[in-house]
Amino acid sequence: MINRTIAPKYYDATSFELNLKPYELAYLDNNTPVYSINAGAEEVTSIEFVFYAGNWFEKEHLVAATTNFLLKNGTSTKSAFEINELFEFYGAYLSRSCYNETASISLHCLSKHVQILLPIVAELIQDSIFPDKELEIYQKNNLQKLNVNLLKCDFVANRKIDEMLYGFEHPYGTYTRKEDLESLGKVQLETFYQTYYINGNCKIFAAGKLPSDFLSILNNHFGKMTLKNEVNPLDKTAHPIIRDIEKKAEILNDPNNVQGAIRIARPFPNRHHPDFQKVNVLNTIYGGYFGSRLMSNIREEKGYTYGIGSYLQNHVQESAWMISTEAKREACPMVLEEIWKEAKLLQENLVDEEELSLVKNYMIGSILSSLDGPFSIISRWKGYILNGMDEETFQRNISIVKSITSEELLELANKYLKEEDFYQLTVI
């Protein structure tokens, strides 16, 4: 029996040598790459089909997200109900997601059902028909959600801060509007589907206990498709960034609201910049985990909010450093004051060794826990591959976390944490 009066042994996470389990790479007959991790103790499999079909590629607002959502809502031989019934019958889960650059279809199922379910996924990718009734339901539901969400200060703040940073016409700054939802048409969806799914750029990521004939099954159903494998389709389309001229804004969204949402953000280089991972350490100290300075001061000490955080956005082309919180309406000015007070402290004082060691252990420990199991590992690889990075990046980032000094953090704070470089937004 465990003696719970004795504390467990303490390990310094920074002393661990972390390695990212390599993936296997194969190609289907049509040159579609398949990245896989064949591991795990359970008889389960995850297969994700990633298409370059995010809103980066749409000509009309919302077409990318709507096309992706309606992929499983009807083919020429199956209704949306029949498709859902099929996956439920086999205890499988089929999801789809649309992001700025990419869109995906993910299948999670028992390994023994891969051969039965993959043909249905192939049918969705090649034979979706976007029934009028399903589109009508989608529009109606999303209009209702939009009307409700527009009353929430955090929802409005999230939309507006992205628009301030990138401009509404940029894929990273756009958002859902009523008129865009109402103007969606079947022809737009079919055209997008034809271009970016049937003839689109696809990468396949698989993990878990894969069947012995997994590649053969994939090739039978997807290897004859007219898919492409371009290195970086994003480069074909340029989207100019038009940032707001005014850097500070206050929006009164609901005069009766008792809560305010604060968003503060500045443009920041993407993950290829040499300062990105170093600033990731600085951000963790500032507002990147539960014990951060923003949390300790504004939540624990002052009690202005239930939570406050900061993070580096993870877009492929452009990025931003964002601070985000909600607070009592009257407390918003004091929260802003404390946010900048903590930034000033990082610019003027060295982070002491105890705090730096704690944050390094937290970050390495987080990476360690994120490598637990084949699904987590392929997810990390997917992020690297879609961002054009490799295992060397993983080792370099680990090394930066372990070796960064207080002097470097002070220099970075003075370079990137200046108040005048940030957009500041309060929505009541």
Side-chain angles (χ1 to χ4, degrees):
M1 179 167 299
I2 298 172
N3 184 349
R4 298 189 185 280
T5 63
I6 302 173
K9 190 176 178 183
Y10 169 80
Y11 294 93
D12 185 344
T14 57
S15 65
F16 294 163
E17 186 177 339
L18 302 188
N19 292 299
L20 188 58
K21 180 180 173 64
Y23 58 79
E24 292 178 23
L25 174 60
Y27 291 89
L28 306 185
D29 286 348
N30 56 7
N31 210 30
T32 299
V34 181
Y35 305 88
S36 63
I37 302 281
N38 191 2
E42 309 300 331
E43 295 288 340
V44 291
T45 297
S46 162
I47 309 166
E48 184 171 5
F49 300 82
V50 177
F51 292 85
Y52 282 91
N55 64 340
W56 189 272
F57 300 95
E58 65 187 13
K59 291 185 173 64
E60 298 95 5
H61 296 298
L62 284 181
V63 170
T66 307
T67 304
N68 177 264
F69 185 87
L70 293 179
L71 277 178
K72 61 177 289 196
N73 285 43
T75 67
S76 62
T77 62
K78 297 179 184 64
S79 67
F81 178 79
E82 289 170 328
I83 292 167
N84 286 323
E85 283 281 288
L86 263 169
F87 286 102
E88 283 190 19
F89 178 80
Y90 288 102
Y93 180 64
L94 183 77
S95 61
R96 60 271 193 249
S97 304
C98 186
Y99 308 100
N100 289 308
E101 297 91 0
T102 59
S104 65
I105 304 170
S106 305
L107 173 66
H108 291 79
C109 66
L110 293 176
S111 303
K112 63 183 179 181
H113 293 152
V114 164
Q115 187 153 8
I116 300 168
L117 296 174
L118 276 183
I120 305 168
V121 178
E123 187 176 336
L124 303 183
I125 292 173
Q126 293 285 289
D127 190 33
S128 285
I129 58 170
F130 307 99
D132 292 329
K133 186 180 175 185
E134 296 293 334
L135 176 57
E136 191 181 322
I137 294 170
Y138 173 85
Q139 288 172 300
K140 191 176 176 182
N141 287 344
N142 280 278
L143 278 169
Q144 284 181 335
K145 283 184 197 170
L146 182 61
N147 287 332
V148 172
N149 285 332
L150 283 173
L151 297 174
K152 301 174 182 173
C153 59
D154 56 337
F155 180 81
V156 174
N158 288 337
R159 291 154 61 103
K160 181 61 183 170
I161 193 67
D162 285 342
E163 185 182 1
M164 292 171 80
L165 279 170
Y166 304 108
F168 179 73
E169 294 303 329
H170 192 279
Y172 300 163
T174 193
Y175 49 77
T176 303
R177 298 181 304 188
K178 182 182 175 186
E179 57 266 38
D180 296 325
L181 267 170
E182 290 174 336
S183 66
L184 282 170
K186 183 173 177 174
V187 174
Q188 295 168 294
L189 306 185
E190 288 174 335
T191 303
F192 191 86
Y193 174 63
Q194 185 74 32
T195 307
Y196 296 104
Y197 286 93
I198 293 180
N199 298 296
N201 277 280
C202 181
K203 297 183 192 300
I204 301 173
F205 298 87
K209 276 211 167 181
L210 304 177
S212 57
D213 54 350
F214 177 66
L215 280 174
S216 173
I217 299 170
L218 266 183
N219 202 40
N220 285 342
H221 298 290
F222 301 89
K224 303 293 184 294
M225 292 182 179
T226 51
L227 300 172
K228 304 189 194 80
N229 177 25
E230 295 181 43
V231 176
N232 193 356
L234 298 174
D235 289 343
K236 286 183 175 177
T237 312
H239 294 282
I241 292 176
I242 304 173
R243 307 192 198 281
D244 265 14
I245 296 171
E246 295 296 329
K247 286 199 166 180
K248 292 191 177 181
E250 293 183 7
I251 297 175
L252 184 58
N253 187 57
D254 180 357
N256 299 317
N257 209 342
V258 296
Q259 182 168 282
I262 293 172
R263 299 291 183 273
I264 299 172
R266 62 154 293 160
F268 196 78
N270 67 13
R271 301 208 303 184
H272 292 274
H273 193 278
D275 284 346
F276 190 93
Q277 182 63 4
K278 293 177 182 176
V279 171
N280 219 1
V281 180
L282 177 64
N283 172 68
T284 305
I285 295 169
Y286 185 47
Y289 77 122
F290 196 78
S292 70
R293 293 192 177 192
L294 292 181
M295 283 289 273
S296 299
N297 178 354
I298 297 170
R299 176 196 150 98
E300 300 297 320
E301 188 181 326
K302 304 290 190 312
Y304 289 148
T305 178
Y306 283 117
I308 182 168
S310 63
Y311 58 93
L312 297 176
Q313 284 185 343
N314 195 22
H315 301 317
V316 173
Q317 299 290 64
E318 296 284 333
S319 182
W321 192 354
M322 182 86 73
I323 302 152
S324 166
T325 189
E326 285 79 49
K328 191 177 177 183
R329 180 174 180 168
E330 292 79 12
C332 286
M334 285 88 85
V335 171
L336 288 168
E337 187 180 328
E338 295 301 322
I339 287 172
W340 295 123
K341 179 182 147 189
E342 292 299 337
K344 200 75 177 170
L345 286 171
L346 284 169
Q347 291 169 350
E348 295 175 349
N349 303 289
L350 290 173
V351 177
D352 67 50
E353 282 305 313
E354 185 180 356
E355 183 180 14
L356 183 54
S357 174
L358 176 68
V359 167
K360 286 181 176 182
N361 267 279
Y362 168 78
M363 293 185 73
I364 297 295
S366 298
I367 295 170
L368 188 61
S369 63
S370 74
L371 301 179
D372 182 20
F375 292 1
S376 302
I377 295 170
I378 200 68
S379 177
R380 184 168 283 270
W381 271 121
K382 184 183 74 173
Y384 282 176
I385 290 163
L386 295 180
N387 279 277
M389 300 188 295
D390 54 22
E391 190 180 3
E392 194 179 316
T393 308
F394 175 80
Q395 294 300 343
R396 187 168 56 247
N397 288 345
I398 296 285
S399 174
I400 287 171
V401 173
K402 288 183 176 180
S403 64
I404 195 165
T405 64
S406 297
E407 288 75 15
E408 287 178 279
L409 292 171
L410 184 74
E411 188 180 332
L412 290 166
N414 280 286
K415 185 176 179 183
Y416 292 111
L417 208 44
K418 291 185 286 192
E419 182 176 348
E420 60 268 28
D421 292 338
F422 282 78
Y423 289 82
Q424 182 176 298
L425 170 68
T426 305
V427 178
I428 304 294

